[in-house]
Amino acid sequence: MDFFKDTTDDTWEKLRADCRHCMDCELGKTRHSLVFGVGCESADVMFIGEGPGEQEDLQGEPFVGPAGKLLDTMLELIDLDRSKVYIANIVKCRPPRNRDPLPDEQAACMPWLTRQIDLVDPKILVFLGRIAAMAFIKPDFRITREHGQWFDVGGRRAMAIYHPSALLRDPGKRPETFVDLKTLQREIKNLYD
Ligand code: URA
């Protein structure tokens, strides 16, 4: 898939305007808000989750519900916060009952996200969970085996970690995620050395 095509004329204003009233898939019909993304628009690190949940749909911002609170704690552990990174999702509208976004919904939304990635131009991409990793790293990505490993995605360093919702459901996965976050922290430090 051509994720990183030439979009040198693109701007945040243009992208926001193009995306604002999107009805390119069925999720547009049931959303309360289109959850665009949040954070530093020139961040070195960009986090990509799966799709808005109930709170995100109501508030119009990614990761503001229970999983978001845990993501904030995870960021704090490695001296990051929302103002230093950019956070977006594979789909910008809430899938009903928080089901996984369907392949055609992901495909319809992907051009918005790839434009965001091009505009942020991060050095490091961090995928939160299996769905985002499968969309960008490889379709058969196995989060249990391959979390915390580095991959190349369009010339950027890329890693997947467990989704915060998975860590809420299964706190036993948290120690592994702590190791992954420390790996990420070292890579970020290397950017400035
Ligand atoms: N889960 C996600 O994947 N994204 C959000 O924004 C919230 C919960």
Side-chain angles (χ1 to χ4, degrees), residues 26-42:
E26 293 290 304
L27 298 181
K29 294 184 184 161
T30 50
R31 72 172 172 241
H32 179 266
S33 318
L34 185 147
V35 180
F36 182 76
V38 73
C40 172
E41 292 178 350
S42 56

Side-chain angles (χ1 to χ4, degrees), residues 35 48-54 56 61-65 67-68 87-91 128 163-165:
V35 180
I48 298 176
E50 185 177 315
E54 184 182 21
E56 292 76 20
E61 183 172 325
F63 286 99
V64 289
I87 305 172
N89 281 306
I90 294 290
V91 293
L128 298 169
H163 193 287
S165 299

Side-chain angles (χ1 to χ4, degrees), residues 86-97:
Y86 195 84
I87 305 172
N89 281 306
I90 294 290
V91 293
K92 300 204 174 329
C93 302
R94 184 190 181 198
R97 297 174 307 283

Side-chain angles (χ1 to χ4, degrees), residues 52-120:
E54 184 182 21
Q55 282 307 311
E56 292 76 20
D57 181 51
L58 290 173
Q59 298 182 44
E61 183 172 325
F63 286 99
V64 289
K69 300 284 168 267
L70 182 55
L71 178 61
D72 287 343
T73 306
M74 290 159 66
L75 295 178
E76 269 172 40
L77 282 172
I78 54 170
D79 301 319
L80 291 177
D81 63 50
R82 279 166 189 260
S83 67
K84 296 186 193 148
V85 301
Y86 195 84
I87 305 172
N89 281 306
I90 294 290
V91 293
K92 300 204 174 329
C93 302
R94 184 190 181 198
R97 297 174 307 283
N98 298 341
R99 64 159 170 73
D100 290 351
L102 301 174
D104 62 322
E105 294 162 352
Q106 295 186 39
C109 217
M110 191 56 87
W112 305 132
L113 180 57
T114 55
R115 283 173 65 183
Q116 276 172 303
I117 295 172
D118 284 339
L119 285 166
V120 175

Side-chain angles (χ1 to χ4, degrees), residues 123-178:
K123 302 210 168 30
I124 299 173
L125 290 166
V126 182
F127 302 111
L128 298 169
R130 173 182 72 87
I131 297 282
M134 288 167 69
F136 276 92
I137 298 176
K138 51 182 176 172
D140 61 348
F141 189 87
R142 299 292 301 270
I143 191 80
T144 47
R145 291 198 207 136
E146 296 176 291
H147 67 84
Q149 295 179 22
W150 288 111
F151 293 86
D152 180 293
V153 171
R156 302 173 206 275
R157 301 283 279 162
M159 174 198 281
I161 63 176
Y162 282 114
H163 193 287
S165 299
L167 301 174
L168 288 173
R169 282 195 302 274
D170 182 2
K173 292 186 163 78
R174 291 186 191 194
E176 293 168 77
T177 303
F178 184 73

